[in-house]
């Protein structure tokens, strides 16, 4: 048996153990602790931040985390990390001793070269140990004079390109930069592909738009949700497959001043089976008095983070539909698992939440499966890179 076959066999055993733990998700997610890395942290001379996804690799016991640096501060890249969950603390100021950066890999474009500035916006990644590939999403952008299509790509573990999947043309941004004019098509700016999930059977990779497409629905607002799309690709053929509608919730908090920035969207999801997923909904409103006070600023962060379990069975397959507006659509079933604002530290203080954008299963702790979350600090000195560990009881 080759070393790769041995890794695949070990992964199959781990997946079987994971599936056995799935019914417990309907029970309780217990807060184990957090660790915080300040925005001033660096690795190999580059700022270590912008972590918008995380993926646990059981074969190594390490994690991969992509940075959404648009090649502004350094090349598009992902990190290899270790997390010592024994050092995580239920404290408002836990330190960062349990987080170690081990390696950094530059992501290369389809020509095998580092991406140029503002030519890519990496948002999520998952490693496929069966094929020894990494799948990752590029959000694209909707900016006047600089439209970029959202993409889902493959790469080798050393960052070399291995092709991309054919995203349907109705995701491509066309028309006005705001996406609100008649005839506009495609993703809204900064509300496109932020998630990647691989089903446990290793057959399918999924992504999701953070909000609806311009021709489908408006972006989220106070009192208004948005109709995002889930899009799948067959990992053997590479072709686009089933596509479903996910109803993103309305903004839970308004910004402190009318007109200030506020959003709610889906930054990542995690596959539990061929049809079930855990989805993050991350809301932010400038100046909102959200629960929890950050140790760094002594102010609320303005973030609200909720985890939902979804099931695609019974939902309408909208693949090939250029628009869902005015059409009868059954969305995926959506059930809240946890509002992270309900979590408390040992001193009774509410857990202050930064911009949580990544989710992964972690190692077993005391015989139970863990979930790991990570925040994207946006390279903002007032924010922080936050790792949160939850136990599935």
């Amino acid at each position: 048996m080759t070393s790769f076959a041995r890794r695949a066999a070990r992964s199959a055993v781990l997946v079987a153990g994971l599936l056995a733990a799935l019914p417990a998700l309907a029970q309780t997610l217990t807060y184990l602790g957090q660790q915080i890395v300040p925005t001033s942290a660096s690795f190999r001379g580059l700022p270590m931040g912008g972590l918008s996804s995380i993926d646990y690799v059981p074969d190594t016991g390490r994690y991969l985390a992509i940075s959404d640096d648009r090649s502004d501060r350094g090349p598009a890249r992902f990190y290899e990390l270790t997390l010592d969950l024994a050092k995580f603390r239920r404290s408002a100021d836990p330190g960062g001793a349990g987080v170690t950066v081990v390696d950094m890999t530059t992501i290369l474009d389809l020509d095998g070269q580092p991406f140029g500035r503002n030519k890519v916006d990496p948002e999520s990644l998952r490693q496929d140990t069966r094929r020894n590939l990494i799948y990752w999403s590029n959000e694209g952008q909707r900016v006047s004079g600089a439209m970029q299509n959202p993409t889902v790509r493959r790469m080798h573990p050393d960052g070399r390109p291995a092709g991309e999947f054919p995203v349907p043309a109705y995701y491509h941004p066309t028309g006005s930069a705001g996406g609100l004019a008649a005839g506009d098509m495609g993703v809204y700016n900064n509300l496109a592909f932020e998630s990647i999930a691989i089903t446990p059977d290793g057959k399918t990779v999924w992504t999701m738009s953070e909000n609806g497409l311009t021709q489908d629905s408006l972006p989220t607002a106070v009192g208004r949700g948005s109709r995002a799309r889930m899009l799948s690709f067959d990992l053997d053929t590479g072709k686009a497959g089933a596509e479903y509608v996910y109803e993103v919730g309305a903004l839970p908090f308004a910004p402190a001043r009318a007109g200030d920035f506020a959003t709610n969207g889906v930054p990542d999801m995690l596959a539990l089976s061929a049809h079930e997923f855990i989805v993050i909904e991350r809301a932010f409103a400038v100046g909102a008095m959200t629960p929890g006070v950050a140790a760094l600023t002594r102010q609320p962060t303005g973030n609200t983070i909720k985890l939902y379990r979804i099931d695609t069975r019974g939902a309408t397959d909208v693949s090939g539909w250029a628009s869902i507006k005015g059409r009868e659509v059954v969305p995926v079933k959506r059930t809240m698992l946890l509002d992270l604002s309900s979590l408390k530290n040992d001193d009774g203080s509410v857990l202050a939440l930064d911009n949580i954008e990544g989710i992964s299963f972690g190692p077993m702790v005391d015989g139970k499966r863990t979930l790991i979350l990570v925040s994207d600090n946006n390279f903002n000195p007032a924010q922080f890179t936050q790792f949160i560990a939850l136990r599935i009881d």
Side-chain angles (χ1 to χ4, degrees):
M1 181 181 288
T2 66
S3 61
F4 181 72
R6 285 194 295 271
R7 290 198 302 272
R10 287 198 298 270
S11 294
V13 171
L14 287 161
V15 166
L18 165 61
L19 292 175
L22 294 186
L25 279 169
Q27 304 298 319
T28 305
L29 294 172
T30 297
Y31 171 42
L32 293 179
Q34 65 167 333
Q35 290 286 52
I36 289 176
V37 177
T39 299
S40 59
S42 63
F43 184 73
R44 294 181 182 170
L46 297 175
M48 203 290 286
L51 304 188
S52 56
S53 77
I54 191 165
D55 193 38
Y56 179 62
V57 183
D59 293 344
T60 63
R62 295 176 176 178
Y63 301 80
L64 302 181
I66 205 166
S67 174
D68 69 358
D69 188 342
R70 300 187 183 193
S71 298
D72 288 336
R73 302 160 185 84
R77 58 196 180 276
F78 67 90
Y79 296 95
E80 188 175 17
L81 312 166
T82 61
L83 301 178
D84 185 351
L85 300 191
K87 294 182 179 178
F88 278 47
R89 298 167 55 204
R90 290 188 300 188
S91 167
D93 193 9
V99 182
T100 303
V101 182
V102 177
D103 202 1
M104 181 180 73
T105 301
T106 298
I107 301 172
L108 303 179
D109 65 18
L110 295 179
D111 294 322
Q113 301 299 315
F115 282 92
R117 187 174 183 181
N118 289 324
K119 296 298 183 181
V120 70
D121 184 8
E123 290 290 353
S124 188
L125 89 172
R126 300 285 176 193
Q127 184 164 28
D128 180 353
T129 56
R130 301 181 187 190
R131 298 170 179 83
N132 200 29
L133 291 170
I134 294 173
Y135 310 115
W136 63 284
S137 63
N138 163 41
E139 187 166 27
Q141 65 181 18
R142 189 183 195 99
V143 177
S144 181
M147 300 285 195
Q148 290 181 18
N149 297 334
T151 56
V152 177
R153 292 180 173 173
R154 310 177 190 90
M155 66 178 162
H156 299 285
D158 62 3
R160 291 180 297 117
E164 69 178 55
F165 296 92
V167 174
Y170 46 84
Y171 284 85
H172 298 173
T174 59
S176 71
L180 301 175
D184 284 353
M185 295 283 286
V187 296
Y188 288 102
N189 190 50
N190 208 33
L191 294 173
F193 292 170
E194 291 222 5
S195 54
I196 290 287
I198 303 175
T199 55
D201 60 13
K203 295 181 178 180
T204 311
V205 64
W206 288 85
T207 188
M208 189 189 302
S209 57
E210 193 175 348
N211 272 204
L213 304 182
T214 61
Q215 67 269 25
D216 290 342
S217 66
L218 293 169
T220 56
V222 175
R224 183 183 71 213
S226 190
R227 311 192 84 186
R229 292 204 193 201
M230 296 175 60
L231 173 64
S232 67
F233 299 95
D234 184 287
L235 288 178
D236 290 327
T237 67
K239 295 180 179 178
E243 191 174 340
Y244 301 110
V245 172
Y246 173 87
E247 295 189 330
V248 184
L251 273 152
F253 288 89
R257 297 184 303 179
D260 279 354
F261 179 74
T263 187
N264 187 31
V266 175
D268 208 0
M269 61 180 176
L270 182 66
L272 303 177
S273 69
H275 51 264
E276 294 173 285
F277 302 81
I278 299 177
V279 169
I280 301 174
E281 283 195 24
R282 179 262 290 113
F284 173 74
V286 174
M289 299 302 291
T290 51
V293 175
L296 178 66
T297 62
R298 304 297 177 185
Q299 297 290 327
T301 63
N303 293 295
T304 306
I305 312 297
K306 296 178 181 179
L307 302 183
Y308 289 88
R309 184 172 183 165
I310 68 170
D311 193 328
T312 63
R313 289 174 294 189
T316 305
D317 184 350
V318 299
S319 56
W321 295 19
S323 175
I324 62 172
K325 187 174 290 185
R327 302 186 69 170
E328 186 173 337
V329 173
V330 177
V332 299
K333 184 180 179 181
R334 170 176 172 268
T335 305
M336 191 165 76
L337 283 174
L338 179 66
D339 182 344
L340 271 72
S341 297
S342 67
L343 303 180
K344 293 186 178 180
N345 296 308
D346 286 340
D347 63 0
S349 62
V350 175
L351 174 64
L353 300 163
D354 203 76
N355 179 36
I356 298 292
E357 290 202 349
I359 184 171
S360 173
F361 284 106
M364 303 294 283
V365 171
D366 298 328
K368 296 179 180 179
R369 177 66 60 181
T370 57
L371 284 177
I372 307 298
L373 307 175
V374 70
S375 72
D376 173 1
N377 66 359
N378 293 312
F379 299 100
N380 182 346
Q383 293 183 246
F384 45 90
T385 298
Q386 179 180 37
F387 296 88
I388 298 173
L390 305 170
R391 183 181 66 225
I392 304 170
D393 292 331

